[in-house]
Amino acid sequence: MLYVIAEQLGFPGVLNLIRYISFRAGAASATALLIGLLLGPWFISYLRERQGKGQPIRADGPQTHLAKRGTPTMGGLLILISVSVSVLLWMDLKNPYVWACLLVTAGFGAIGFLDDYDKVKKAHHAGLSGKTRLALEFLIAGFATWLIVKEGTTNLYLPFVQGPVVDLSWGYIAFGAFVIVAFGNAVNLTDGLDGLATMPVVIAAIAFLLISYLVGNARFANYLGIPHILGVGDLTVLLLAVVGACLAFLWFNAPPAAVFMGDTGSLALGGALGAVAVATHHEFVLVIIGGLFVVEALSVVIQVAVFKRTGKRVFLMAPIHHHFEHKGWSEPTVVIRFWIIAFILALAGLSTLKLR
């Protein structure tokens, strides 16, 4: 909004700073952080009053989690409000890529909200049916991918390979939708311990804001041999807003958590990262950078598949962070070690930009 106003005025004086993506991205991050920190205490108190018993805790989970009963959920709304307000304030409103990614963020957040609301209302950890959730997610992700395809290319790119591998044509919509939905649910599955999902999301967002900036710059993209997509650089505004909002949320979510982000936040954040990966055509790099989320999701898939076939469990409990809890790791130990892994994977993913 401020960009449009400054543009209409011809970027006079100090408003000329708004012309630069780096300034607007930094301003969006600061705005989201400020909104989250200022709104957080009141918002958490409101959730606690409205929800009563808070998020239902699984009886078959780690026994240490039973002490978390009464902690309010839906804290992801705080992230969504912070991100949405700051992005709309500082983005170029004519940029279709930012709108597509915002659509996924808000849409997945709405689905997560309905799921969280159902859990709180029923006082049970089961929310919306899996089929309903997936159908809604694919609908939103498919439309967002179509918006992206309209403006860009349908070529598929792979790490370590220079240039496009294949043109998927309109089949890219199905591929892009799968990436967005899969990553949204991967982050959702990771959100099981205080702060576990938040910091890896921050790390992945920082990695992808660098990728977005490079992909949006013709000179850097040509030098690195990565696709150049005009306008994608503005996604740095969204990504730094996510970083600011997540840091503000982590202030209240740090152990012992005063609030859980719930599906409202985890689905939205995962969907946002998936949408950015699709917009920048770095879907397979996302698998590396977000490898922690991928492993968490795969641990659930493997556990369910093997148990249905043999009646035996591969892990003591899935997702895999609960497996390590059952092996005797304390919650802070699991969280911090997983953060370290997320950081290492982000560096590994960024290294693929030059190895082509």
Side-chain angles (χ1 to χ4, degrees):
M1 187 178 296
L2 289 179
Y3 179 88
V4 174
I5 294 173
E7 185 180 39
Q8 290 176 347
L9 295 174
F11 298 103
V14 72
L15 291 181
N16 187 55
L17 288 172
I18 298 178
R19 186 195 302 269
Y20 300 101
I21 293 175
S22 55
F23 175 80
R24 288 188 285 115
S29 183
T31 303
L33 178 65
L34 190 62
I35 292 173
L37 290 176
L38 292 178
L39 193 61
W42 171 83
F43 189 74
I44 293 170
S45 297
Y46 174 79
L47 289 177
R48 189 177 290 114
E49 291 174 5
R50 298 288 294 180
Q51 293 180 11
K53 296 182 179 180
Q55 176 170 302
I57 304 297
R58 290 176 58 178
D60 59 343
Q63 295 302 300
T64 55
H65 288 205
L66 296 178
K68 299 182 181 184
R69 282 176 174 164
T71 305
T73 186
M74 297 186 193
L77 283 172
L78 182 63
I79 298 175
L80 285 174
I81 292 169
S82 302
V83 169
S84 300
V85 171
S86 57
V87 171
L88 290 173
L89 192 62
W90 294 104
M91 72 177 279
D92 177 1
L93 295 177
K94 299 187 297 293
N95 190 295
Y97 296 109
V98 181
W99 280 116
C101 294
L102 264 182
L103 169 65
V104 172
T105 306
F108 276 39
I111 296 170
F113 174 81
L114 292 175
D115 196 46
D116 286 334
Y117 180 80
D118 207 34
K119 291 175 183 176
V120 171
K121 184 179 179 181
K122 295 177 180 177
H124 194 271
H125 61 82
L128 293 177
S129 70
K131 290 182 179 179
T132 301
R133 273 182 49 158
L134 285 175
L136 292 172
E137 288 168 14
F138 269 105
L139 184 65
I140 294 169
F143 182 67
T145 305
W146 174 74
L147 290 176
I148 292 170
V149 167
K150 272 181 60 182
E151 300 297 328
T153 176
T154 55
N155 287 328
L156 184 67
Y157 294 82
L158 295 176
F160 311 112
V161 178
Q162 190 165 7
V165 176
V166 63
D167 186 351
L168 295 179
S169 187
W170 291 105
Y172 189 85
I173 294 178
F175 171 72
F178 173 78
V179 170
I180 295 170
V181 171
F183 210 75
N185 285 280
V187 174
N188 181 228
L189 290 170
T190 306
D191 181 37
L193 303 178
D194 297 346
L196 178 58
T198 311
M199 185 53 69
V201 165
V202 168
I203 293 170
I206 292 173
F208 263 93
L209 79 85
L210 178 59
I211 291 173
S212 299
Y213 183 80
L214 295 173
V215 169
N217 187 294
R219 182 179 299 177
F220 289 139
N222 182 63
Y223 171 72
L224 293 170
I226 58 179
H228 167 56
I229 305 171
L230 186 64
V232 160
D234 248 53
L235 288 176
T236 56
V237 177
L238 170 64
L239 290 166
L240 266 182
V242 167
V243 171
C246 283
L247 290 177
F249 177 78
L250 190 60
W251 183 267
F252 306 105
N253 186 237
V259 64
F260 299 140
M261 74 164 65
D263 292 0
T264 308
S266 56
L267 268 180
L269 293 172
L273 289 173
V276 170
V278 170
T280 57
H281 288 273
H282 278 71
E283 303 89 355
F284 290 94
V285 175
L286 176 65
V287 175
I288 302 173
I289 291 175
L292 175 67
F293 303 117
V294 175
V295 170
E296 290 271 13
L298 285 177
S299 69
V300 174
V301 173
I302 292 170
Q303 183 89 320
V304 172
V306 172
F307 185 79
K308 284 186 175 180
R309 188 175 182 85
T310 66
K312 298 180 180 179
R313 290 181 171 83
V314 177
F315 307 102
L316 295 176
M317 186 177 179
I320 198 169
H321 55 260
H322 290 318
H323 170 81
F324 289 107
E325 281 192 289
H326 278 288
K327 287 183 71 69
W329 291 19
S330 67
E331 182 171 333
T333 299
V334 175
V335 170
I336 293 174
R337 287 178 177 174
F338 276 36
W339 286 2
I340 295 170
I341 292 170
F343 181 74
I344 294 170
L345 289 171
L347 292 179
L350 288 175
S351 70
T352 67
L353 294 177
K354 187 55 182 168
L355 301 176
R356 298 197 179 225

